[in-house]
PDB file of all heavy atoms in Angstrom:
ATOM      1  N   THR A 280      -1.067  19.207 -12.120  1.00 96.00           N
ATOM      2  CA  THR A 280      -1.906  18.175 -11.507  1.00 96.00           C
ATOM      3  C   THR A 280      -1.132  17.403 -10.449  1.00 96.00           C
ATOM      4  O   THR A 280      -1.679  17.060  -9.390  1.00 96.00           O
ATOM      5  CB  THR A 280      -2.432  17.210 -12.578  1.00 96.00           C
ATOM      6  OG1 THR A 280      -3.125  17.953 -13.589  1.00 96.00           O
ATOM      7  CG2 THR A 280      -3.382  16.195 -11.980  1.00 96.00           C
ATOM      8  N   ALA A 281       0.142  17.122 -10.727  1.00 96.00           N
ATOM      9  CA  ALA A 281       0.976  16.440  -9.733  1.00 96.00           C
ATOM     10  C   ALA A 281       1.114  17.289  -8.479  1.00 96.00           C
ATOM     11  O   ALA A 281       1.006  16.776  -7.353  1.00 96.00           O
ATOM     12  CB  ALA A 281       2.353  16.138 -10.325  1.00 96.00           C
ATOM     13  N   TYR A 282       1.349  18.589  -8.657  1.00 96.00           N
ATOM     14  CA  TYR A 282       1.446  19.486  -7.503  1.00 96.00           C
ATOM     15  C   TYR A 282       0.165  19.442  -6.662  1.00 96.00           C
ATOM     16  O   TYR A 282       0.217  19.355  -5.432  1.00 96.00           O
ATOM     17  CB  TYR A 282       1.662  20.930  -7.965  1.00 96.00           C
ATOM     18  CG  TYR A 282       3.014  21.233  -8.561  1.00 96.00           C
ATOM     19  CD1 TYR A 282       3.222  22.408  -9.283  1.00 96.00           C
ATOM     20  CD2 TYR A 282       4.081  20.354  -8.426  1.00 96.00           C
ATOM     21  CE1 TYR A 282       4.453  22.703  -9.837  1.00 96.00           C
ATOM     22  CE2 TYR A 282       5.321  20.640  -8.983  1.00 96.00           C
ATOM     23  CZ  TYR A 282       5.511  21.821  -9.695  1.00 96.00           C
ATOM     24  OH  TYR A 282       6.731  22.109 -10.236  1.00 96.00           O
ATOM     25  N   ILE A 283      -0.979  19.518  -7.333  1.00 96.00           N
ATOM     26  CA  ILE A 283      -2.262  19.532  -6.615  1.00 96.00           C
ATOM     27  C   ILE A 283      -2.480  18.223  -5.869  1.00 96.00           C
ATOM     28  O   ILE A 283      -2.872  18.200  -4.691  1.00 96.00           O
ATOM     29  CB  ILE A 283      -3.428  19.799  -7.581  1.00 96.00           C
ATOM     30  CG1 ILE A 283      -3.298  21.190  -8.208  1.00 96.00           C
ATOM     31  CG2 ILE A 283      -4.766  19.662  -6.861  1.00 96.00           C
ATOM     32  CD1 ILE A 283      -4.306  21.468  -9.293  1.00 96.00           C
ATOM     33  N   ALA A 284      -2.218  17.104  -6.554  1.00 97.00           N
ATOM     34  CA  ALA A 284      -2.417  15.794  -5.933  1.00 97.00           C
ATOM     35  C   ALA A 284      -1.517  15.625  -4.711  1.00 97.00           C
ATOM     36  O   ALA A 284      -1.970  15.172  -3.649  1.00 97.00           O
ATOM     37  CB  ALA A 284      -2.144  14.688  -6.950  1.00 97.00           C
ATOM     38  N   LEU A 285      -0.266  15.996  -4.842  1.00 97.00           N
ATOM     39  CA  LEU A 285       0.660  15.876  -3.713  1.00 97.00           C
ATOM     40  C   LEU A 285       0.282  16.856  -2.601  1.00 97.00           C
ATOM     41  O   LEU A 285       0.490  16.568  -1.416  1.00 97.00           O
ATOM     42  CB  LEU A 285       2.095  16.111  -4.180  1.00 97.00           C
ATOM     43  CG  LEU A 285       2.615  15.091  -5.210  1.00 97.00           C
ATOM     44  CD1 LEU A 285       4.033  15.445  -5.644  1.00 97.00           C
ATOM     45  CD2 LEU A 285       2.569  13.675  -4.651  1.00 97.00           C
ATOM     46  N   GLY A 286      -0.269  18.003  -2.983  1.00 97.00           N
ATOM     47  CA  GLY A 286      -0.751  18.947  -1.981  1.00 97.00           C
ATOM     48  C   GLY A 286      -1.910  18.385  -1.185  1.00 97.00           C
ATOM     49  O   GLY A 286      -1.995  18.559   0.042  1.00 97.00           O
ATOM     50  N   VAL A 287      -2.835  17.707  -1.882  1.00 97.00           N
ATOM     51  CA  VAL A 287      -3.948  17.048  -1.189  1.00 97.00           C
ATOM     52  C   VAL A 287      -3.402  15.974  -0.245  1.00 97.00           C
ATOM     53  O   VAL A 287      -3.874  15.808   0.892  1.00 97.00           O
ATOM     54  CB  VAL A 287      -4.933  16.434  -2.196  1.00 97.00           C
ATOM     55  CG1 VAL A 287      -5.986  15.580  -1.489  1.00 97.00           C
ATOM     56  CG2 VAL A 287      -5.616  17.529  -3.005  1.00 97.00           C
ATOM     57  N   GLY A 288      -2.396  15.232  -0.739  1.00 97.00           N
ATOM     58  CA  GLY A 288      -1.768  14.219   0.105  1.00 97.00           C
ATOM     59  C   GLY A 288      -1.150  14.816   1.357  1.00 97.00           C
ATOM     60  O   GLY A 288      -1.236  14.244   2.445  1.00 97.00           O
ATOM     61  N   LEU A 289      -0.530  15.993   1.201  1.00 97.00           N
ATOM     62  CA  LEU A 289       0.057  16.687   2.348  1.00 97.00           C
ATOM     63  C   LEU A 289      -1.020  17.083   3.367  1.00 97.00           C
ATOM     64  O   LEU A 289      -0.874  16.820   4.574  1.00 97.00           O
ATOM     65  CB  LEU A 289       0.800  17.931   1.875  1.00 97.00           C
ATOM     66  CG  LEU A 289       1.222  18.928   2.959  1.00 97.00           C
ATOM     67  CD1 LEU A 289       2.311  18.333   3.841  1.00 97.00           C
ATOM     68  CD2 LEU A 289       1.679  20.249   2.333  1.00 97.00           C
ATOM     69  N   LEU A 290      -2.077  17.729   2.910  1.00 97.00           N
ATOM     70  CA  LEU A 290      -3.131  18.188   3.816  1.00 97.00           C
ATOM     71  C   LEU A 290      -3.795  17.014   4.542  1.00 97.00           C
ATOM     72  O   LEU A 290      -4.075  17.096   5.747  1.00 97.00           O
ATOM     73  CB  LEU A 290      -4.176  18.988   3.031  1.00 97.00           C
ATOM     74  CG  LEU A 290      -3.686  20.306   2.420  1.00 97.00           C
ATOM     75  CD1 LEU A 290      -4.797  20.944   1.595  1.00 97.00           C
ATOM     76  CD2 LEU A 290      -3.197  21.258   3.494  1.00 97.00           C
ATOM     77  N   ALA A 291      -4.038  15.932   3.796  1.00 97.00           N
ATOM     78  CA  ALA A 291      -4.657  14.763   4.424  1.00 97.00           C
ATOM     79  C   ALA A 291      -3.710  14.123   5.434  1.00 97.00           C
ATOM     80  O   ALA A 291      -4.149  13.633   6.484  1.00 97.00           O
ATOM     81  CB  ALA A 291      -5.057  13.746   3.356  1.00 97.00           C
ATOM     82  N   ALA A 292      -2.408  14.141   5.148  1.00 97.00           N
ATOM     83  CA  ALA A 292      -1.432  13.592   6.086  1.00 97.00           C
ATOM     84  C   ALA A 292      -1.392  14.411   7.370  1.00 97.00           C
ATOM     85  O   ALA A 292      -1.337  13.859   8.479  1.00 97.00           O
ATOM     86  CB  ALA A 292      -0.052  13.555   5.437  1.00 97.00           C
ATOM     87  N   ALA A 303      -8.512   9.917   6.500  1.00 96.00           N
ATOM     88  CA  ALA A 303      -7.498  10.880   6.087  1.00 96.00           C
ATOM     89  C   ALA A 303      -6.247  10.160   5.588  1.00 96.00           C
ATOM     90  O   ALA A 303      -5.620  10.586   4.617  1.00 96.00           O
ATOM     91  CB  ALA A 303      -7.145  11.803   7.250  1.00 96.00           C
ATOM     92  N   ASP A 304      -5.898   9.059   6.240  1.00 96.00           N
ATOM     93  CA  ASP A 304      -4.751   8.268   5.789  1.00 96.00           C
ATOM     94  C   ASP A 304      -4.996   7.697   4.400  1.00 96.00           C
ATOM     95  O   ASP A 304      -4.119   7.754   3.524  1.00 96.00           O
ATOM     96  CB  ASP A 304      -4.487   7.140   6.779  1.00 96.00           C
ATOM     97  CG  ASP A 304      -3.469   6.140   6.260  1.00 96.00           C
ATOM     98  OD1 ASP A 304      -2.328   6.554   5.959  1.00 96.00           O
ATOM     99  OD2 ASP A 304      -3.814   4.951   6.155  1.00 96.00           O
ATOM    100  N   LEU A 305      -6.194   7.165   4.177  1.00 96.00           N
ATOM    101  CA  LEU A 305      -6.521   6.589   2.871  1.00 96.00           C
ATOM    102  C   LEU A 305      -6.552   7.668   1.794  1.00 96.00           C
ATOM    103  O   LEU A 305      -6.109   7.435   0.662  1.00 96.00           O
ATOM    104  CB  LEU A 305      -7.864   5.868   2.942  1.00 96.00           C
ATOM    105  CG  LEU A 305      -7.934   4.660   3.878  1.00 96.00           C
ATOM    106  CD1 LEU A 305      -9.337   4.065   3.870  1.00 96.00           C
ATOM    107  CD2 LEU A 305      -6.909   3.608   3.481  1.00 96.00           C
ATOM    108  N   LEU A 306      -7.080   8.851   2.131  1.00 96.00           N
ATOM    109  CA  LEU A 306      -7.114   9.946   1.171  1.00 96.00           C
ATOM    110  C   LEU A 306      -5.706  10.408   0.821  1.00 96.00           C
ATOM    111  O   LEU A 306      -5.389  10.654  -0.346  1.00 96.00           O
ATOM    112  CB  LEU A 306      -7.924  11.108   1.732  1.00 96.00           C
ATOM    113  CG  LEU A 306      -7.997  12.371   0.859  1.00 96.00           C
ATOM    114  CD1 LEU A 306      -8.618  12.053  -0.501  1.00 96.00           C
ATOM    115  CD2 LEU A 306      -8.784  13.464   1.569  1.00 96.00           C
ATOM    116  N   SER A 307      -4.856  10.517   1.836  1.00 97.00           N
ATOM    117  CA  SER A 307      -3.471  10.929   1.592  1.00 97.00           C
ATOM    118  C   SER A 307      -2.761   9.931   0.686  1.00 97.00           C
ATOM    119  O   SER A 307      -2.089  10.320  -0.280  1.00 97.00           O
ATOM    120  CB  SER A 307      -2.726  11.057   2.921  1.00 97.00           C
ATOM    121  OG  SER A 307      -1.384  11.449   2.717  1.00 97.00           O
ATOM    122  N   ALA A 308      -2.917   8.655   0.985  1.00 97.00           N
ATOM    123  CA  ALA A 308      -2.267   7.619   0.172  1.00 97.00           C
ATOM    124  C   ALA A 308      -2.787   7.632  -1.263  1.00 97.00           C
ATOM    125  O   ALA A 308      -2.015   7.498  -2.222  1.00 97.00           O
ATOM    126  CB  ALA A 308      -2.482   6.246   0.803  1.00 97.00           C
ATOM    127  N   SER A 309      -4.108   7.799  -1.421  1.00 96.00           N
ATOM    128  CA  SER A 309      -4.699   7.815  -2.759  1.00 96.00           C
ATOM    129  C   SER A 309      -4.186   9.005  -3.568  1.00 96.00           C
ATOM    130  O   SER A 309      -3.833   8.869  -4.747  1.00 96.00           O
ATOM    131  CB  SER A 309      -6.226   7.871  -2.653  1.00 96.00           C
ATOM    132  OG  SER A 309      -6.737   6.763  -1.954  1.00 96.00           O
ATOM    133  N   ALA A 310      -4.149  10.178  -2.934  1.00 97.00           N
ATOM    134  CA  ALA A 310      -3.693  11.377  -3.634  1.00 97.00           C
ATOM    135  C   ALA A 310      -2.224  11.276  -4.011  1.00 97.00           C
ATOM    136  O   ALA A 310      -1.830  11.659  -5.127  1.00 97.00           O
ATOM    137  CB  ALA A 310      -3.940  12.601  -2.752  1.00 97.00           C
ATOM    138  N   ILE A 311      -1.413  10.766  -3.107  1.00 97.00           N
ATOM    139  CA  ILE A 311       0.021  10.648  -3.395  1.00 97.00           C
ATOM    140  C   ILE A 311       0.268   9.625  -4.493  1.00 97.00           C
ATOM    141  O   ILE A 311       1.127   9.823  -5.365  1.00 97.00           O
ATOM    142  CB  ILE A 311       0.782  10.293  -2.108  1.00 97.00           C
ATOM    143  CG1 ILE A 311       0.805  11.512  -1.173  1.00 97.00           C
ATOM    144  CG2 ILE A 311       2.201   9.826  -2.417  1.00 97.00           C
ATOM    145  CD1 ILE A 311       1.437  11.252   0.170  1.00 97.00           C
ATOM    146  N   GLU A 312      -0.470   8.544  -4.488  1.00 97.00           N
ATOM    147  CA  GLU A 312      -0.330   7.541  -5.546  1.00 97.00           C
ATOM    148  C   GLU A 312      -0.617   8.155  -6.914  1.00 97.00           C
ATOM    149  O   GLU A 312       0.123   7.920  -7.880  1.00 97.00           O
ATOM    150  CB  GLU A 312      -1.281   6.379  -5.264  1.00 97.00           C
ATOM    151  CG  GLU A 312      -1.127   5.203  -6.205  1.00 97.00           C
ATOM    152  CD  GLU A 312      -2.004   4.033  -5.797  1.00 97.00           C
ATOM    153  OE1 GLU A 312      -1.968   3.652  -4.611  1.00 97.00           O
ATOM    154  OE2 GLU A 312      -2.725   3.508  -6.669  1.00 97.00           O
ATOM    155  N   ILE A 313      -1.667   8.953  -7.002  1.00 97.00           N
ATOM    156  CA  ILE A 313      -2.002   9.625  -8.258  1.00 97.00           C
ATOM    157  C   ILE A 313      -0.960  10.699  -8.577  1.00 97.00           C
ATOM    158  O   ILE A 313      -0.599  10.901  -9.739  1.00 97.00           O
ATOM    159  CB  ILE A 313      -3.410  10.231  -8.175  1.00 97.00           C
ATOM    160  CG1 ILE A 313      -4.446   9.118  -7.991  1.00 97.00           C
ATOM    161  CG2 ILE A 313      -3.730  11.048  -9.430  1.00 97.00           C
ATOM    162  CD1 ILE A 313      -5.829   9.608  -7.659  1.00 97.00           C
ATOM    163  N   GLY A 314      -0.463  11.382  -7.544  1.00 97.00           N
ATOM    164  CA  GLY A 314       0.583  12.372  -7.758  1.00 97.00           C
ATOM    165  C   GLY A 314       1.841  11.764  -8.355  1.00 97.00           C
ATOM    166  O   GLY A 314       2.502  12.376  -9.214  1.00 97.00           O
ATOM    167  N   VAL A 315       2.187  10.566  -7.912  1.00 97.00           N
ATOM    168  CA  VAL A 315       3.341   9.864  -8.484  1.00 97.00           C
ATOM    169  C   VAL A 315       3.111   9.579  -9.963  1.00 97.00           C
ATOM    170  O   VAL A 315       4.016   9.719 -10.799  1.00 97.00           O
ATOM    171  CB  VAL A 315       3.610   8.558  -7.709  1.00 97.00           C
ATOM    172  CG1 VAL A 315       4.638   7.692  -8.427  1.00 97.00           C
ATOM    173  CG2 VAL A 315       4.098   8.871  -6.298  1.00 97.00           C
ATOM    174  N   LEU A 316       1.887   9.176 -10.300  1.00 97.00           N
ATOM    175  CA  LEU A 316       1.542   8.902 -11.699  1.00 97.00           C
ATOM    176  C   LEU A 316       1.764  10.137 -12.570  1.00 97.00           C
ATOM    177  O   LEU A 316       2.417  10.065 -13.623  1.00 97.00           O
ATOM    178  CB  LEU A 316       0.091   8.440 -11.795  1.00 97.00           C
ATOM    179  CG  LEU A 316      -0.501   8.309 -13.202  1.00 97.00           C
ATOM    180  CD1 LEU A 316       0.211   7.212 -13.974  1.00 97.00           C
ATOM    181  CD2 LEU A 316      -2.003   8.025 -13.132  1.00 97.00           C
ATOM    182  N   PHE A 317       1.262  11.294 -12.132  1.00 97.00           N
ATOM    183  CA  PHE A 317       1.383  12.498 -12.938  1.00 97.00           C
ATOM    184  C   PHE A 317       2.806  13.067 -12.903  1.00 97.00           C
ATOM    185  O   PHE A 317       3.236  13.702 -13.868  1.00 97.00           O
ATOM    186  CB  PHE A 317       0.371  13.547 -12.478  1.00 97.00           C
ATOM    187  CG  PHE A 317      -1.019  13.291 -12.980  1.00 97.00           C
ATOM    188  CD1 PHE A 317      -1.985  12.718 -12.156  1.00 97.00           C
ATOM    189  CD2 PHE A 317      -1.370  13.599 -14.287  1.00 97.00           C
ATOM    190  CE1 PHE A 317      -3.262  12.471 -12.625  1.00 97.00           C
ATOM    191  CE2 PHE A 317      -2.645  13.349 -14.761  1.00 97.00           C
ATOM    192  CZ  PHE A 317      -3.592  12.782 -13.932  1.00 97.00           C
ATOM    193  N   THR A 318       3.534  12.831 -11.825  1.00 97.00           N
ATOM    194  CA  THR A 318       4.937  13.227 -11.809  1.00 97.00           C
ATOM    195  C   THR A 318       5.731  12.414 -12.825  1.00 97.00           C
ATOM    196  O   THR A 318       6.592  12.941 -13.535  1.00 97.00           O
ATOM    197  CB  THR A 318       5.536  13.029 -10.406  1.00 97.00           C
ATOM    198  OG1 THR A 318       4.792  13.786  -9.452  1.00 97.00           O
ATOM    199  CG2 THR A 318       6.984  13.487 -10.362  1.00 97.00           C
ATOM    200  N   TYR A 354       8.653   9.997  -3.481  1.00 96.00           N
ATOM    201  CA  TYR A 354       7.288   9.512  -3.275  1.00 96.00           C
ATOM    202  C   TYR A 354       7.122   8.043  -3.656  1.00 96.00           C
ATOM    203  O   TYR A 354       6.231   7.368  -3.132  1.00 96.00           O
ATOM    204  CB  TYR A 354       6.300  10.386  -4.039  1.00 96.00           C
ATOM    205  CG  TYR A 354       5.945  11.649  -3.291  1.00 96.00           C
ATOM    206  CD1 TYR A 354       6.471  12.876  -3.658  1.00 96.00           C
ATOM    207  CD2 TYR A 354       5.090  11.605  -2.191  1.00 96.00           C
ATOM    208  CE1 TYR A 354       6.148  14.039  -2.966  1.00 96.00           C
ATOM    209  CE2 TYR A 354       4.757  12.753  -1.493  1.00 96.00           C
ATOM    210  CZ  TYR A 354       5.292  13.969  -1.882  1.00 96.00           C
ATOM    211  OH  TYR A 354       4.968  15.102  -1.177  1.00 96.00           O
ATOM    212  N   TYR A 357       7.721   6.477  -0.585  1.00 96.00           N
ATOM    213  CA  TYR A 357       6.513   6.533   0.248  1.00 96.00           C
ATOM    214  C   TYR A 357       5.611   5.336  -0.046  1.00 96.00           C
ATOM    215  O   TYR A 357       5.119   4.664   0.867  1.00 96.00           O
ATOM    216  CB  TYR A 357       5.768   7.843  -0.012  1.00 96.00           C
ATOM    217  CG  TYR A 357       4.391   7.921   0.612  1.00 96.00           C
ATOM    218  CD1 TYR A 357       4.205   8.528   1.849  1.00 96.00           C
ATOM    219  CD2 TYR A 357       3.271   7.400  -0.045  1.00 96.00           C
ATOM    220  CE1 TYR A 357       2.937   8.600   2.432  1.00 96.00           C
ATOM    221  CE2 TYR A 357       2.007   7.470   0.520  1.00 96.00           C
ATOM    222  CZ  TYR A 357       1.846   8.068   1.761  1.00 96.00           C
ATOM    223  OH  TYR A 357       0.590   8.126   2.316  1.00 96.00           O
ATOM    224  N   LEU A 358       5.393   5.059  -1.341  1.00 96.00           N
ATOM    225  CA  LEU A 358       4.531   3.931  -1.713  1.00 96.00           C
ATOM    226  C   LEU A 358       5.150   2.610  -1.274  1.00 96.00           C
ATOM    227  O   LEU A 358       4.427   1.693  -0.850  1.00 96.00           O
ATOM    228  CB  LEU A 358       4.310   3.938  -3.231  1.00 96.00           C
ATOM    229  CG  LEU A 358       3.597   5.163  -3.806  1.00 96.00           C
ATOM    230  CD1 LEU A 358       3.456   5.035  -5.313  1.00 96.00           C
ATOM    231  CD2 LEU A 358       2.225   5.363  -3.165  1.00 96.00           C
ATOM    232  N   LEU A 433      -8.069  14.498 -12.361  1.00 96.00           N
ATOM    233  CA  LEU A 433      -7.532  14.235 -11.022  1.00 96.00           C
ATOM    234  C   LEU A 433      -8.660  13.976 -10.030  1.00 96.00           C
ATOM    235  O   LEU A 433      -8.592  13.032  -9.225  1.00 96.00           O
ATOM    236  CB  LEU A 433      -6.690  15.424 -10.559  1.00 96.00           C
ATOM    237  CG  LEU A 433      -6.291  15.437  -9.073  1.00 96.00           C
ATOM    238  CD1 LEU A 433      -5.437  14.218  -8.741  1.00 96.00           C
ATOM    239  CD2 LEU A 433      -5.564  16.726  -8.733  1.00 96.00           C
ATOM    240  N   LEU A 436     -10.069  10.482 -10.710  1.00 94.00           N
ATOM    241  CA  LEU A 436      -9.166   9.425 -10.260  1.00 94.00           C
ATOM    242  C   LEU A 436      -9.095   9.362  -8.736  1.00 94.00           C
ATOM    243  O   LEU A 436      -9.037   8.272  -8.150  1.00 94.00           O
ATOM    244  CB  LEU A 436      -7.762   9.654 -10.833  1.00 94.00           C
ATOM    245  CG  LEU A 436      -7.616   9.507 -12.348  1.00 94.00           C
ATOM    246  CD1 LEU A 436      -6.203   9.862 -12.777  1.00 94.00           C
ATOM    247  CD2 LEU A 436      -7.973   8.095 -12.801  1.00 94.00           C
ATOM    248  N   LEU A 437      -9.119  10.531  -8.105  1.00 94.00           N
ATOM    249  CA  LEU A 437      -9.017  10.558  -6.646  1.00 94.00           C
ATOM    250  C   LEU A 437     -10.253   9.961  -5.986  1.00 94.00           C
ATOM    251  O   LEU A 437     -10.142   9.176  -5.025  1.00 94.00           O
ATOM    252  CB  LEU A 437      -8.808  11.992  -6.171  1.00 94.00           C
ATOM    253  CG  LEU A 437      -8.590  12.186  -4.660  1.00 94.00           C
ATOM    254  CD1 LEU A 437      -7.413  11.349  -4.181  1.00 94.00           C
ATOM    255  CD2 LEU A 437      -8.366  13.662  -4.349  1.00 94.00           C
ATOM    256  N   THR A 438     -11.441  10.320  -6.482  1.00 92.00           N
ATOM    257  CA  THR A 438     -12.659   9.741  -5.909  1.00 92.00           C
ATOM    258  C   THR A 438     -12.707   8.232  -6.121  1.00 92.00           C
ATOM    259  O   THR A 438     -13.076   7.479  -5.215  1.00 92.00           O
ATOM    260  CB  THR A 438     -13.911  10.382  -6.531  1.00 92.00           C
ATOM    261  OG1 THR A 438     -13.856  10.252  -7.969  1.00 92.00           O
ATOM    262  CG2 THR A 438     -14.004  11.858  -6.190  1.00 92.00           C
ATOM    263  N   ARG A 440     -10.080   6.154  -6.662  1.00 94.00           N
ATOM    264  CA  ARG A 440      -9.028   5.471  -5.886  1.00 94.00           C
ATOM    265  C   ARG A 440      -9.356   5.468  -4.400  1.00 94.00           C
ATOM    266  O   ARG A 440      -9.062   4.483  -3.691  1.00 94.00           O
ATOM    267  CB  ARG A 440      -7.678   6.159  -6.124  1.00 94.00           C
ATOM    268  CG  ARG A 440      -6.502   5.434  -5.442  1.00 94.00           C
ATOM    269  CD  ARG A 440      -6.327   4.070  -6.063  1.00 94.00           C
ATOM    270  NE  ARG A 440      -5.330   3.265  -5.382  1.00 94.00           N
ATOM    271  CZ  ARG A 440      -5.590   2.393  -4.401  1.00 94.00           C
ATOM    272  NH1 ARG A 440      -6.841   2.237  -3.970  1.00 94.00           N
ATOM    273  NH2 ARG A 440      -4.629   1.684  -3.845  1.00 94.00           N
ATOM    274  N   PHE A 441      -9.970   6.533  -3.909  1.00 94.00           N
ATOM    275  CA  PHE A 441     -10.325   6.595  -2.495  1.00 94.00           C
ATOM    276  C   PHE A 441     -11.394   5.555  -2.159  1.00 94.00           C
ATOM    277  O   PHE A 441     -11.320   4.883  -1.123  1.00 94.00           O
ATOM    278  CB  PHE A 441     -10.822   7.997  -2.144  1.00 94.00           C
ATOM    279  CG  PHE A 441     -11.250   8.153  -0.715  1.00 94.00           C
ATOM    280  CD1 PHE A 441     -10.312   8.203   0.299  1.00 94.00           C
ATOM    281  CD2 PHE A 441     -12.589   8.248  -0.381  1.00 94.00           C
ATOM    282  CE1 PHE A 441     -10.706   8.339   1.631  1.00 94.00           C
ATOM    283  CE2 PHE A 441     -12.994   8.394   0.940  1.00 94.00           C
ATOM    284  CZ  PHE A 441     -12.041   8.433   1.945  1.00 94.00           C
ATOM    285  N   ALA A 444      -9.684   2.284  -2.064  1.00 92.00           N
ATOM    286  CA  ALA A 444      -8.847   2.157  -0.867  1.00 92.00           C
ATOM    287  C   ALA A 444      -9.693   1.795   0.355  1.00 92.00           C
ATOM    288  O   ALA A 444      -9.262   1.002   1.208  1.00 92.00           O
ATOM    289  CB  ALA A 444      -8.094   3.467  -0.618  1.00 92.00           C
TER     290      ALA A 444
END
Side-chain angles (χ1 to χ4, degrees):
T280 304
Y282 289 165
I283 296 173
L285 297 178
V287 172
L289 168 69
L290 295 176
D304 170 58
L305 296 179
L306 177 59
S307 180
S309 300
I311 289 176
E312 186 175 310
I313 297 170
V315 170
L316 171 65
F317 281 101
T318 302
Y354 278 104
Y357 170 95
L358 298 180
L433 168 61
L436 293 176
L437 184 56
T438 55
R440 185 65 186 93
F441 178 73

